[in-house]
Amino acid sequence: MLEVAIPRRSNTLRWRGGSVGPFDGACGSWKPHPAAFGTLSELGSPQEDSFPALAASRIDQVSLECANSHVPPHLMALLAGKDVLVGVIDVASDEVETPEQVADTIGLALQHVPKHRLFPCTNCGMAPMDREIARRKLEALAKGAQLARERYGE
């Protein structure tokens, strides 16, 4: 899986196994090559060039931070054939999303990713977060996913 994190302040790609274009084989055995980390600009490739390379790679899943990030939603369409894990919960904030906000983000992603390829999730890990806030955010994720199923069908 590859996690693409384009948070509010940087354009960071975090590589989690798999391989992409010039990095083919660089992340085998879950020991990333040092060159497999960096920003999109450091890699010398804008998002529009990077995402098709991901689509052509052996990576099966791409995880995108979508809640309060700078990932342009239309770029998800460039990941055809991949499972797309869509971060609908912002773990960089203690503000708890509403189920409606979660369902709206899922709906936006569904404009670019087929239902059978879309997997709502959190933007990243919740370990440093207060346990009660994390619980409420996960509850919002579950309720928002249910609301999205009601809105957009199974």
Side-chain angles (χ1 to χ4, degrees), residues 75-100:
L75 292 182
M76 289 185 236
L78 299 176
L79 298 171
K82 303 297 180 189
D83 290 340
V84 180
L85 288 74
V86 176
V88 297
I89 299 292
D90 183 1
V91 299
S93 167
D94 286 343
E95 182 178 333
V96 177
E97 294 80 355
T98 66
E100 290 77 14

Side-chain angles (χ1 to χ4, degrees), residues 92-149:
S93 167
D94 286 343
E95 182 178 333
V96 177
E97 294 80 355
T98 66
E100 290 77 14
Q101 289 171 314
V102 170
D104 289 346
T105 304
I106 293 169
L108 181 63
L110 284 170
Q111 294 175 25
H112 309 285
V113 179
K115 287 179 195 172
H116 71 282
R117 291 280 191 187
L118 191 141
F119 297 88
C121 59
T122 62
N123 274 359
C124 199
M126 300 178 104
M129 185 173 285
D130 175 81
R131 186 180 183 113
E132 179 57 25
I133 293 170
R135 187 196 63 73
R136 290 177 32 223
K137 283 181 169 276
L138 290 174
E139 184 177 298
L141 173 58
K143 288 180 178 178
Q146 178 58 42
L147 180 59
R149 282 190 291 275

Side-chain angles (χ1 to χ4, degrees), residues 7 12 16-17 25 29 39 42 44-45 53 65 72 92 96 120-121 125 129 136 146 154:
T12 304
R16 305 279 173 105
S29 304
T39 66
E42 287 170 354
S45 177
E65 294 185 358
V96 177
C121 59
M129 185 173 285
R136 290 177 32 223
Q146 178 58 42
E154 294 289 326

Side-chain angles (χ1 to χ4, degrees), residues 1-15:
M1 177 193 14
L2 172 74
E3 178 183 38
V4 178
I6 305 176
R8 290 169 232 169
R9 290 184 213 87
S10 69
N11 291 331
T12 304
L13 280 177
R14 282 181 259 171
W15 304 84

